[in-house]
Amino acid sequence: MRIRFKLDGQDVEVDVKHTDTLLKVLKDRIGVGSVHFGCGEGSCGACMVLINGRLRYSCLTLAGYVDGKEVTTVAALARDGELTEIQRAFLENDAAQCGYCTPGMILTAKVLLEKNPSPSDEELFDALAGNLCRCTGYIPIINAIKSVSRR
Amino acid sequence: MAKLRGRGIAAICYPTGMNLGGDPSQTVIVARPDGTFVVNVASVELGQGLRTVLSQIAAEAIGASVEDVEVRFGDTQLAPHDTGTFASRTTHRMGNAIVKAGQEIRQILLDIASKILEVSPQDLEIKNGKIWVKGVPDKSITVREVASQAQFVYNTPVVGKGHYVKPKSIVDPDTGESDPHSTMAHGCVVADVEVDTETGQVTVLQLFTVYEVGRAINPKLVEGQIIGGAVMGLGAALRETVYPRYPQITHQTKSFREYVLPTAGDIPKIIYKIVESPTPTGPYGAKGVGEMVANGIAPAIVNAVYDAIGVQITELPITPEKVLKAIREKSQSVNEHRV
């Protein structure tokens, strides 16, 4: 089937199988570098994207589902090379080591802070519960998000 | 039923690398035509910060500024032999190789600069991308300019090669003495835990850690290793296991749903300190850090659980099931003694 959707603001048209996941199409067909395959079953958050502004695991989303919708990856956040506040906070707090979880972490943080600009620790931990990180020990990531939340 | 608290301590001596003649590292540093440098290593950047640390070591050894050094890694066809990126070995082993290669380049630069500035090489100083005549800071030239002129004017390739291996040490048959390791890093962990005797749940309240790392070439990156390692150790202590939960292999852990990693909400307070005691065998005194920061955590937690409930859990991870079983066995044996 042929699907059309907006990827990071640009119109995309691509032939997909009914069984293709969005992750597979983004990574293997379109060549998006910032969505990562971690587990393929919605446990780790490395493949997260925004679909119509809502946080989704692209590994659990069928590509056909995004026909006519807007898909946003972490690559669309920076404008003209200018990083967003949350991205700068990740840099300043050394919140990335290998970087595999980082796009998902940043998108999760963005969505959380848009809904709730001053999350409690509990709300922050809840929001990050779907994103696994193996290198940083989470503390730098938590510090980065706290540094841009209003409290 | 109660929530019992306990404190446990573990200490660690961690040898860097494989040792005993078994793990050589080699590198070649080459100047580009513009006078910047490429360090070719077959080691791999995994997120531990190798690119940054090796650039710092190379810049220091050459006398170049760190922005003018690029570390290229991961291509075993383009770089000389390296045993691998494991055993906390790359900063120490590859760092040592890079120091040697950098010093070869430094000598080439000083020789060329002495021709340009018309002074003897012994009268020159080189640091942070600048070469100048001792005592006459005005009479100077940049490292980039010298490295470039070496190639275009003086027909000299600016290439440095370096290697490091811990020589094999034979055990003395009489005394049993040998020199098995190249350097030893040290650490200590104190864990405070709370054990719920009703559910068997172990909660780590806080971790105090201190590590002696030789020289922290990049303290920020060492901190990153310490925190990340602590959480990895925490997962190993309390949750992570690949063993089947039922007798058949088909029930083995296959995904992150059964192999449960710590998530952001599971992290206790981690207090850490870096102690520096430079080793003569390391590049500027550095030792390996990567693994020991994970290794001491589980033993400290096991000891803290012992302090809390009086039972030593001897198999990781410390699951609620094992804790409850241990508590029950202990109370049964106490009752048997009473009878």
Side-chain angles (χ1 to χ4, degrees):
Chain A
M1 63 188 279
R2 193 156 189 81
I3 59 167
R4 292 174 195 81
F5 63 101
K6 263 197 164 41
L7 174 61
D8 294 342
Q10 296 206 322
D11 290 314
V12 178
E13 212 174 318
V14 58
D15 279 321
V16 301
K17 284 191 224 141
H18 288 84
T19 51
D20 280 347
T21 63
L22 178 60
L23 173 63
K24 186 182 159 73
V25 170
L26 290 176
K27 254 179 80 70
D28 300 346
R29 300 288 301 285
I30 302 175
V32 175
S34 70
V35 288
H36 299 146
F37 180 93
C39 62
E41 55 172 34
S43 294
C44 76
C47 68
M48 274 182 168
V49 295
L50 301 179
I51 300 175
N52 286 355
R54 303 186 69 173
L55 208 49
R56 288 290 179 262
Y57 294 116
S58 65
C59 73
L60 292 184
T61 305
L62 288 174
Y65 174 76
V66 301
D67 188 30
K69 296 195 168 70
E70 274 184 40
V71 176
T72 309
T73 72
V74 75
L77 300 192
R79 289 277 150 80
D80 305 322
E82 186 75 23
L83 296 179
T84 59
E85 206 184 1
I86 184 76
Q87 287 172 311
R88 278 202 307 276
F90 265 63
L91 264 181
E92 284 158 11
N93 287 278
D94 298 291
Q97 281 188 30
C98 83
Y100 210 74
C101 73
T102 312
M105 289 284 184
I106 288 177
L107 288 175
T108 303
K110 172 186 147 70
V111 168
L112 168 70
L113 294 176
E114 277 170 4
K115 270 194 233 156
N116 180 359
S118 48
S120 66
D121 280 1
E122 213 51 42
E123 289 165 333
L124 179 53
F125 297 154
D126 267 1
L128 289 178
N131 295 76
L132 296 179
C133 171
R134 186 86 280 209
C135 331
T136 65
Y138 300 100
I139 291 175
I141 294 170
I142 294 164
N143 289 344
I145 299 173
K146 280 186 178 175
S147 78
V148 293
S149 71
R150 284 198 294 276
R151 48 177 74 209
Chain B
M1 295 296 146
K3 288 193 173 180
L4 302 177
R5 290 197 173 191
R7 169 170 285 187
I9 301 174
I12 179 165
C13 293
Y14 198 83
T16 298
M18 271 185 359
N19 298 306
L20 296 176
D23 66 336
S25 284
Q26 303 176 349
T27 183
V28 174
I29 305 179
V30 183
R32 292 198 191 96
D34 68 353
T36 59
F37 299 92
V38 181
V39 182
N40 294 291
V41 296
S43 316
V44 178
E45 166 70 65
L46 316 160
Q48 79 280 51
L50 173 151
R51 194 203 296 251
T52 307
V53 165
L54 295 187
S55 315
Q56 285 178 262
I57 293 173
E60 185 75 24
I62 295 169
S65 62
V66 76
E67 304 85 60
D68 292 343
V69 177
E70 184 197 340
V71 175
R72 283 208 188 143
F73 51 83
D75 190 339
T76 51
Q77 282 193 314
L78 292 178
H81 175 56
D82 177 36
T83 305
T85 308
F86 63 94
S88 311
R89 65 186 293 285
T90 302
T91 299
H92 185 272
R93 299 295 198 272
M94 192 53 85
N96 271 328
I98 287 174
V99 167
K100 278 189 196 162
Q103 282 165 349
E104 281 193 15
I105 293 209
R106 173 191 284 252
Q107 201 49 56
I108 295 168
L109 294 174
L110 290 176
D111 288 345
I112 300 296
S114 81
K115 290 177 188 160
I116 298 170
L117 297 171
E118 296 175 334
V119 290
S120 137
Q122 289 84 2
D123 294 332
L124 290 173
E125 285 202 69
I126 175 169
K127 204 174 164 63
N128 292 337
K130 238 174 110 175
I131 300 176
W132 68 95
V133 180
K134 279 179 192 165
V136 195
D138 292 347
K139 202 169 178 189
S140 73
I141 187 165
T142 64
V143 162
R144 283 183 70 154
E145 180 64 31
V146 174
S148 194
Q149 280 204 30
Q151 297 164 73
F152 289 105
V153 181
Y154 294 91
N155 203 21
T156 305
V158 186
V159 177
K161 58 191 191 315
H163 66 93
Y164 180 86
V165 66
K166 160 76 181 169
K168 194 172 169 76
S169 163
I170 308 294
V171 178
D172 186 307
D174 294 329
T175 62
E177 199 179 309
S178 81
D179 176 21
H181 60 81
S182 50
T183 182
M184 194 71 97
H186 307 89
C188 185
V189 180
V190 177
D192 285 348
V193 306
E194 188 174 78
V195 183
D196 187 325
T197 58
E198 186 171 7
T199 62
Q201 183 73 40
V202 176
T203 309
V204 176
L205 304 170
Q206 49 189 354
L207 289 167
F208 301 87
T209 68
V210 58
Y211 293 104
E212 187 278 294
V213 301
R215 164 111 49 213
I217 301 276
N218 188 313
K220 256 318 202 198
L221 290 173
V222 175
E223 278 175 30
Q225 293 289 291
I226 289 175
I227 298 171
V231 173
M232 225 182 256
L234 184 79
L238 299 181
R239 298 223 181 128
E240 295 169 33
T241 176
V242 295
Y243 285 107
R245 289 185 277 175
Y246 300 99
Q248 291 88 355
I249 192 81
T250 47
H251 288 87
Q252 206 170 0
T253 56
K254 285 182 189 140
S255 73
F256 291 130
R257 277 176 303 182
E258 300 102 30
Y259 190 93
V260 185
L261 304 185
T263 57
D266 301 323
I267 312 306
K269 196 172 174 193
I270 300 173
I271 297 113
Y272 55 89
K273 186 155 178 58
I274 300 168
V275 177
E276 292 185 305
S277 165
T279 169
T281 74
Y284 307 107
K287 300 174 179 178
V289 183
E291 281 163 297
M292 69 164 173
V293 291
N295 295 353
I297 305 294
I301 292 174
V302 167
N303 289 339
V305 170
Y306 176 77
D307 189 35
I309 63 169
V311 187
Q312 192 93 30
I313 309 281
T314 53
E315 193 184 297
L316 294 179
I318 314 168
T319 56
E321 190 186 354
K322 286 181 196 163
V323 172
L324 289 178
K325 225 171 169 178
I327 291 173
R328 202 177 59 201
E329 278 167 17
K330 187 193 162 210
S331 70
Q332 275 169 356
S333 78
V334 169
N335 288 339
E336 279 162 21
H337 284 298
R338 278 192 192 136
V339 171

